[in-house]
Amino acid sequence: LPHYRGSEQSRAWLLPLPYAVYRGQFLRADREGARAVLVERAAFEMDLSVAGSPPTSSEDNRARQGMPDLAPTFEFGPNANLTFARGADWKLELRAPLRAAFTVRRSPQHVGWTASPYVTAEWLQSGWDVGVRLGALWGDRRFNGYTYDVAPQFASAVRPAYRSPSGWAGWQATAGASRRFGSLWLGMFVRADDVGRAAFAPSPLVTRAQ
């Protein structure tokens, strides 16, 4: 993973994740992901969305040398799902999560709000569950500023002070496939991430736009 979106440096992570299937009235964990279903209709569903980001040590990042580390974040909030069309083995949906972000440390701090609506298409192909999605991201001033602000006391000749505005935070496109072989589950994905026209693109901490 990149140290943060827009960083030219990356880090490899080993992230063991438990996996279970549960289909209760409100709590679900299945091929659609783990979620708490709040509203469910034929073409509309409201549930809870979660996301997060890993920590970044400024000592390991050239653009952030001498700046405070970035704590890992945890995001959660409502997510609206609208099904445009579906068949026996395919569906086309719009998903629109809105999440509040908090730092994960001894004294958690609210660091803003983020929205990331996207269109997703999923279908079954020769036993494989295939999906593609394309979406945009937005962040309020606090959310964008948490990663991309440069306070005056951390400015230098090559890193001018910067205050990020709210707004457009770029786009992402993802393609993935998964399949179960008995008790073995295999999944893979590839993602394109672009911040070239994001509101915070002028930040000196953005060292790679794509």
Side-chain angles (χ1 to χ4, degrees):
L1 295 173
H3 286 182
Y4 52 87
R5 297 183 63 236
S7 173
E8 63 185 350
Q9 294 178 258
S10 61
R11 177 180 177 183
W13 291 86
L14 176 63
L15 299 173
L17 297 173
Y19 181 82
V21 174
Y22 179 80
R23 298 183 178 93
Q25 183 177 1
F26 301 107
L27 298 177
R28 311 276 176 84
D30 51 28
R31 60 182 291 182
E32 306 293 336
R35 63 205 189 279
V37 179
L38 305 177
V39 177
E40 187 174 28
R41 297 291 185 269
F44 178 79
E45 182 178 280
M46 178 75 75
D47 56 30
L48 294 179
S49 170
V50 298
S53 65
T56 295
S57 171
S58 294
E59 292 183 358
D60 300 329
N61 187 273
R62 289 184 292 270
R64 295 187 60 87
Q65 286 287 329
M67 296 182 63
D69 296 341
L70 291 176
T73 61
F74 175 74
E75 306 169 14
F76 71 93
N79 176 44
N81 303 319
L82 177 63
T83 301
F84 293 132
R86 69 189 313 156
D89 56 1
W90 63 273
K91 65 179 178 179
L92 179 65
E93 290 184 320
L94 169 66
R95 300 182 182 180
L98 173 65
R99 297 187 292 261
F102 297 85
T103 56
V104 181
R105 51 189 175 191
R106 181 173 299 180
S107 299
Q109 177 186 4
H110 179 223
V111 291
W113 292 83
T114 178
S116 52
Y118 59 91
V119 175
T120 179
E122 299 178 8
W123 65 93
L124 293 175
Q125 180 68 41
S126 303
W128 288 87
D129 188 359
V130 182
V132 294
R133 77 182 196 183
L134 175 65
L137 297 89
W138 280 267
D140 68 2
R141 209 227 72 79
R142 291 178 65 188
F143 184 83
N144 290 344
Y146 177 69
T147 302
Y148 303 102
D149 277 4
V150 178
Q153 63 268 34
F154 301 116
S156 68
V158 296
R159 186 176 62 205
Y162 180 79
R163 179 178 170 86
S164 177
S166 62
W168 170 263
W171 59 266
Q172 289 181 336
T174 307
S178 64
R179 183 172 182 175
R180 182 176 291 279
F181 298 90
S183 60
L184 177 66
W185 181 87
L186 175 66
M188 64 198 77
F189 75 93
V190 60
R191 172 176 294 166
D193 193 351
D194 187 288
V195 298
R197 297 184 180 180
F200 52 76
S203 171
L205 302 180
V206 175
T207 55
R208 183 176 183 178
Q210 296 180 333

